[in-house]
């Protein structure tokens, strides 16, 4: 894709974004929905999917906030979750 960026002086800088193409098999009803939804958003189905992929990549690259990480239930690999849970149940109902 060729893009122009206007500079304050009025000059333009041309950039070429590298793009790849994929083929995605979709059921007819999903494709019809995608086309109708993206058209209602004022963009093509292809542009909508590209935007969603970009948004997902950006979102997944953000580090979790400390509060979210603490509440997410992520257990460190060195902790034996099953043994911890068994010990907890034994202590609780022991």
């Amino acid at each position: 894709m060729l893009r122009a960026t206007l500079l304050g002086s009025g000059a333009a800088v041309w950039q070429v974004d590298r793009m790849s193409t994929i083929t995605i098999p979709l059921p007819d009803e999903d494709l019809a929905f995608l086309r109708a939804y993206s058209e209602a958003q004022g963009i093509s189905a292809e542009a909508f999917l590209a935007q969603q992929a970009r948004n997902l990549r950006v979102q997944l690259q953000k580090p979790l906030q400390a509060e979210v990480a603490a509440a997410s239930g992520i257990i460190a690999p060195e902790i034996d979750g099953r043994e911890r849970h068994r010990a907890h149940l034994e202590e609780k109902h022991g």
Side-chain angles (χ1 to χ4, degrees):
M1 174 186 287
L2 190 60
R3 255 183 322 140
T5 303
L6 294 177
L7 303 175
S9 64
V13 175
W14 293 92
Q15 297 173 319
V16 177
D17 293 335
R18 294 177 189 253
M19 299 186 85
S20 298
T21 302
I22 63 171
T23 300
I24 303 171
L26 290 174
D28 289 342
E29 72 180 76
D30 290 343
L31 180 57
F33 170 81
L34 177 62
R35 290 201 187 283
Y37 183 82
S38 61
E39 184 179 323
Q41 304 302 313
I43 60 175
S44 69
E46 295 81 4
F48 175 76
L49 289 175
Q51 182 181 44
Q52 292 301 310
R54 194 169 31 258
N55 290 346
L56 178 61
R57 178 178 46 82
V58 167
Q59 186 64 34
L60 292 176
Q61 288 175 341
K62 291 180 182 177
L64 289 177
Q65 295 177 356
E67 297 84 10
V68 174
S72 68
I74 296 173
I75 300 173
E78 63 271 4
I79 295 176
D80 183 351
R82 289 179 187 213
E83 176 55 31
R84 253 308 152 92
H85 182 64
R86 187 200 59 72
H88 162 75
L89 292 176
E90 189 175 293
E91 181 180 318
K92 180 178 178 179
H93 302 289

